[in-house]
Amino acid sequence: MAATYDFPSDLLAGQEELHQVRAELSALLKRLPWSVEPLDGFSDDNGWRKVERPASPGWTEDEQAEVEKLRRREHELAVFVSTHRYWAELTGSDRVHARSTLKRAHEGAEESP
């Protein structure tokens, strides 16, 4: 039988926000040009696979600031979740299993009506 954990509400909220921030950052990075600075496009087929990139206009100051804000928040949340006092209550493999369970806790919440 799988162990269940009574995660504190602030830890659950921190993990959920971490998932949201990572998803938002990932979506933003997919929308942005491949290069932060303006660069010419290129094509290189000398490696083990062909690599092509169109010219990049670079990121605007607002885009750079948004990425930095999200990365900073992601770091803050990762530190909060990983150093939460709750982890001191668990040891060894129990802590590892609990951490894995917490990472997937939002999946169960989404399935509930």
Side-chain angles (χ1 to χ4, degrees), residues 27-99:
L28 175 60
L29 291 172
K30 286 178 184 176
R31 286 193 313 266
L32 293 175
W34 62 271
S35 174
V36 177
E37 299 295 324
L39 287 176
D40 293 334
F42 66 89
S43 178
D44 181 8
D45 58 2
N46 293 325
W48 62 278
R49 65 183 175 101
K50 187 174 183 173
V51 177
E52 292 184 313
R53 295 277 190 262
S56 172
W59 297 0
T60 66
E61 287 185 19
D62 288 343
E63 291 167 337
Q64 290 180 43
E66 182 66 16
V67 169
E68 180 61 28
K69 181 182 98 172
L70 289 170
R71 285 183 173 157
R72 188 173 292 124
R73 185 63 181 149
E74 177 187 30
H75 182 262
E76 291 169 357
L77 289 164
V79 169
F80 171 77
V81 169
S82 63
T83 62
H84 194 279
R85 66 189 174 279
Y86 176 77
W87 304 121
E89 300 173 12
L90 304 169
T91 59
S93 62
D94 288 338
R95 186 181 298 169
V96 173
H97 186 261
R99 180 69 183 112

